[in-house]
Amino acid sequence: MIKRGLLLILLIVVIAFAYIHFQVHGYDDRIITNMNELDTSRWAKPRVAIVFGASVYGNGDLSPILEDRVDTAIELYRARKVDRILVSGDNRHVSYNEPKAMQEYLVTHAVAPQDVVVDYAGRSTYETCMRAKDVFGLQRAVLVSQGYHLPRALYIANSLGLDSVGMAGDLRLKPKADYQSVREWAAEVKAFLNLKYFPPDVLLGDMKPIK
């Protein structure tokens, strides 16, 4: 009897995880790997790419994951697929500043300073998407991240009303089943619960529309 009960619980858990995974991956058809697939003809300007933060080293250098994301945004900018780049990341501590590191990298790689918009309060994927819509006034955006992260980012953004497509930034780091991929399973559950039942507190503040 106990064994059957445990098997029933396990089955319910598996079904629940499968359902959440299916929901989160509902926007996978919006993931682009070639920028020429990005149709910007019907977009109102400014067309904006959102770059999600990731680890920055103590000397201010970008981690390989973050460098891939920022370099992908630079390619979109140089190809005139986007007009602005919104960098959003963690700056909750004075000694750690992902958005500033991304901003400096962009400017030193020939992106005009006025075309870089900095969000210092994007401490999570949810917060970045919410602030892009409610603080920076975006209605549409190109989300730039790795392929393993984009399904969740697109799910959150589009569920919050930010009409988005995703550009996979896998220039150097090839997709593979590793720690980041496994971590996404737990992150998908969190995203689903945040959107459906437990919305997190997001630091908003005054509107700063991107012009």
Side-chain angles (χ1 to χ4, degrees):
M1 184 66 70
I2 294 176
K3 185 177 180 180
R4 288 183 178 178
L6 291 175
L7 287 174
L8 179 60
I9 292 173
L10 179 60
L11 178 61
I12 292 173
V13 170
V14 170
I15 292 173
F17 267 95
Y19 174 77
I20 291 172
H21 186 71
F22 177 79
Q23 292 294 312
V24 172
H25 285 260
Y27 295 92
D28 283 10
D29 59 343
R30 296 191 179 202
I31 296 176
I32 296 166
T33 56
N34 183 334
M35 71 174 65
N36 292 323
E37 301 172 24
L38 184 61
D39 178 17
T40 58
S41 61
R42 63 190 181 93
W43 282 39
K45 293 188 176 183
R47 299 165 298 183
V48 180
I50 300 175
V51 184
F52 295 86
S55 298
V56 172
Y57 298 131
N59 61 359
D61 288 346
L62 310 185
S63 63
I65 287 177
L66 186 54
E67 189 171 345
D68 254 10
R69 295 178 184 182
V70 179
D71 282 344
T72 300
I74 291 173
E75 287 192 358
L76 289 170
Y77 178 82
R78 289 175 176 170
R80 298 187 178 181
K81 297 292 185 180
V82 299
D83 311 294
R84 305 283 188 276
I85 300 175
L86 171 62
V87 292
S88 179
D90 192 351
N91 179 218
R92 72 186 77 192
H93 303 299
V94 176
S95 60
Y96 186 75
N97 196 328
E98 293 172 0
K100 180 181 178 182
M102 289 189 279
Q103 178 190 34
E104 292 175 348
Y105 186 95
L106 287 167
V107 172
T108 57
H109 285 74
V111 177
Q114 65 269 23
D115 292 337
V116 182
V117 183
V118 184
D119 175 16
Y120 292 103
R123 299 171 296 181
S124 69
T125 302
Y126 187 102
E127 290 171 286
T128 291
C129 294
M130 177 67 82
R131 285 176 55 80
K133 176 176 173 285
D134 290 354
V135 174
F136 296 97
L138 296 183
Q139 295 180 338
R140 302 195 66 190
V142 181
L143 310 185
V144 180
S145 189
Q146 270 71 33
Y148 69 81
H149 175 231
L150 277 177
R152 176 165 58 94
L154 286 167
Y155 170 65
I156 292 173
N158 285 285
S159 296
L160 291 174
L162 178 61
D163 186 13
S164 303
V165 297
M167 182 70 199
D170 297 309
L171 299 178
R172 301 176 188 83
L173 303 176
K174 300 303 178 184
K176 60 181 180 180
D178 56 9
Y179 165 76
Q180 294 289 356
S181 300
V182 173
R183 177 178 175 271
E184 275 302 304
W185 279 88
E188 286 178 6
V189 174
K190 179 183 177 183
F192 179 83
L193 294 176
N194 284 161
L195 286 165
K196 300 295 185 181
Y197 305 107
F198 310 107
D201 293 329
V202 179
L203 180 64
L204 295 176
D206 296 335
M207 285 280 293
K208 304 174 183 176
I210 296 176
K211 299 180 180 179

